[in-house]
Amino acid sequence: MQDIYRALVLDVVNGQSNMQIQERSIADLPEGEVTIRVAYSSVNFKDGMATLPNRIIRKYPMVPGIDLAGIVIASTDERYQVGDQVIATSYEIGVSHPGGFSEIARVPAKWVVPLPDGLTMKEAMILGTAGFTAALSIIRLEENGLSKEQGPVLVTGSTGGVGSVAVDILAKNGYEVTASTGKESEHAYLKELGATTILHRNEVVAVDDKPMRQQLWAGAVDPVGGKTLEYLLSTMKYGGSVALSGLTGGTDVSTSVYPFILRGVNLLGIDSVYCPMNQRKMVWERLASDMKPNHLTDQMVKEITLEELPKTLSQILEGQIRGRTIVKL
C-alpha cells in the first residue's frame, strides 16, 4: 500500500474557506474497517455547501466529498476483500469523516455498498448521491401510487444532478415528463434526456397565497423547495405526491391543510444521507438495472481532475453546473 496520497483539504482561515491539494500519509486516515483506493468521486450541491465556512463541515481540517467509488486495498471486515469494487456515499463522509476527494479513503464497513453488477465505478459516480436521490424519489412516488397512466410528472431544477437523472429515469420508464428550468440554453439537453415539455422555473413558483390551483401533475420530483414546493402542493392532482429532496429554492414553505385534506396530496421527504442499508442496496441494484438512466454519457457528465475541483465547487453553488460532474482520482 502506498504511504503518500493526495487529497483536497478544506480549512477555515480568518473566517474564510481555504482549499488546498495536499500530500497526506496513510497515518492520517481515520478509523474504519475498509480502506479504498478511490477511482472516482462526484460533485454534489452538498459538496459546494461544504465550502461555506461552518455550514456543513463539522470539524476542520476536512477532506470533503460525500461520494466515492473504488477498489478495496485493505479490510478487517470479512464482507469485503482486497480487490472488491465498492461504493460509499453519504452518512458522515465528507462532513465529519474524511471523504471522497482523495486518492485513498478509509470508511466504516457499515457505510460500504458492493458495486452491483450492471454498473462500472465511473457510472456509479455519474449517478452518485444525486442519482441515488433521484431514484429514491421515484421509488417513493411509485410506492405512493404514481403510475404512467395518471398524467405528467414535473421535475424541478431539471438541469441539476437530481433533476437530470430523474428526467432520464422517468422517461426511460414511460412517464410523460415536464421539466422546469431557468436555463433556456438547456432545452435541447432536457429534450434529449426525455422531457416532453419544458417550463420556465418562474412558471412553477407560487406568486400568491392560493392554497389550491388547477390540478396538473400526477407527481413531482423536487430538489428545489421554497416557493416552488408551495406551487407544487397546490397543483397536484388528486392523490398526487411530491418527493422533496432539496432546498436550492429556500427552506421556508407556506401552505395550508387544504391540498392534503381535500385532494389527498402527499409530501414525501427524501433523505439519502441516513437511508437504511437494506433500502440503500435495493436502490443501487435498481440503478444498475431497470432504473439505470439511458444517458450516462458525455451528454450528462463532465469529468474533472482534483486540481479543477475548487472552481467546480464554486460553480455548483452558483447554479452553473449542468448534469453531473465526476472527479477522476
Side-chain angles (χ1 to χ4, degrees):
M1 185 187 303
Q2 68 187 66
D3 291 328
I4 303 298
Y5 64 93
R6 296 188 312 146
L8 181 73
V9 180
L10 179 64
D11 208 343
V12 173
V13 179
N14 298 322
Q16 300 294 317
S17 289
N18 178 59
M19 287 179 280
Q20 293 184 344
I21 296 173
Q22 297 180 3
E23 288 192 344
R24 308 195 105 195
S25 167
I26 290 294
D28 296 324
L29 289 171
E31 293 184 359
E33 295 80 30
V34 184
T35 306
I36 302 163
R37 187 180 306 281
V38 181
Y40 293 94
S41 184
S42 66
V43 181
N44 299 279
F45 186 77
K46 187 175 180 179
D47 297 313
M49 290 187 67
T51 66
L52 303 177
N54 302 307
R55 289 284 297 276
I56 296 293
I57 301 297
R58 296 177 189 162
K59 61 180 180 180
Y60 295 94
M62 178 58 59
V63 177
I66 64 172
D67 294 343
L68 63 92
I71 298 173
V72 175
I73 56 176
S75 174
T76 59
D77 188 291
E78 62 182 11
R79 291 172 294 178
Y80 301 101
Q81 307 299 317
V82 172
D84 287 351
Q85 296 184 35
V86 296
I87 306 166
T89 63
S90 299
Y91 295 104
E92 302 302 319
I93 298 171
V95 176
S96 62
H97 186 99
F101 297 157
S102 175
E103 292 174 339
I104 295 179
R106 180 179 290 150
V107 298
K110 63 183 179 180
W111 296 352
V112 177
V113 175
L115 183 73
D117 293 339
L119 280 181
T120 66
M121 291 185 292
K122 181 176 181 178
E123 289 173 333
M125 287 298 96
I126 294 174
L127 293 164
T129 288
F132 180 92
T133 302
L136 182 58
S137 297
I138 296 166
I139 290 168
R140 293 284 285 117
L141 288 171
E142 291 181 336
E143 288 173 346
N144 280 269
L146 179 67
S147 67
K148 295 180 278 292
E149 297 75 25
Q150 294 171 333
V153 179
L154 178 61
V155 178
T156 66
S158 57
T159 62
V162 175
S164 292
V165 177
V167 170
D168 197 324
I169 294 174
L170 286 164
K172 174 184 176 179
N173 284 276
Y175 286 94
E176 178 186 348
V177 183
T178 297
S180 69
T181 180
K183 302 174 183 176
E184 293 186 9
S185 61
E186 302 295 359
H187 286 203
Y189 165 71
L190 291 169
K191 290 283 189 180
E192 183 166 340
L193 293 184
T196 55
T197 305
I198 300 172
L199 299 177
H200 193 279
R201 65 185 174 203
N202 292 341
E203 298 180 72
V204 296
V205 173
V207 294
D208 54 41
D209 295 327
K210 289 182 179 179
M212 294 194 294
R213 298 174 173 81
Q214 181 182 358
Q215 298 183 51
L216 298 172
W217 318 110
V221 175
D222 182 30
V224 176
K227 292 292 183 181
T228 298
L229 178 58
E230 292 178 23
Y231 165 86
L232 292 173
L233 293 173
S234 70
T235 53
M236 282 295 113
K237 289 186 175 184
Y238 190 92
S241 301
V242 181
L244 173 68
S245 62
L247 46 69
T248 58
T251 57
D252 295 333
V253 178
S254 178
T255 186
S256 77
V257 300
Y258 291 120
F260 306 103
I261 65 173
L262 297 181
R263 290 182 180 169
V265 169
N266 306 292
L267 177 57
L268 311 175
I270 304 301
D271 170 51
S272 59
V273 179
Y274 298 112
C275 178
M277 182 54 76
N278 61 339
Q279 189 174 41
R280 186 179 296 270
K281 289 181 177 179
M282 178 272 293
V283 174
W284 278 111
E285 291 290 344
R286 296 278 309 267
L287 280 166
S289 54
D290 64 303
M291 297 187 82
K292 185 175 182 178
N294 285 328
H295 297 86
L296 296 182
T297 63
D298 291 343
Q299 181 68 359
M300 184 187 286
V301 64
K302 178 181 180 182
E303 184 176 305
I304 65 171
T305 64
L306 205 56
E307 287 74 15
E308 295 173 286
L309 251 178
K311 180 180 179 181
T312 302
L313 290 168
S314 176
Q315 289 174 329
I316 199 168
L317 284 178
E318 296 167 1
Q320 297 178 3
I321 301 296
R322 182 183 81 178
R324 299 288 290 141
T325 300
I326 61 171
V327 188
K328 185 175 182 180
L329 280 305

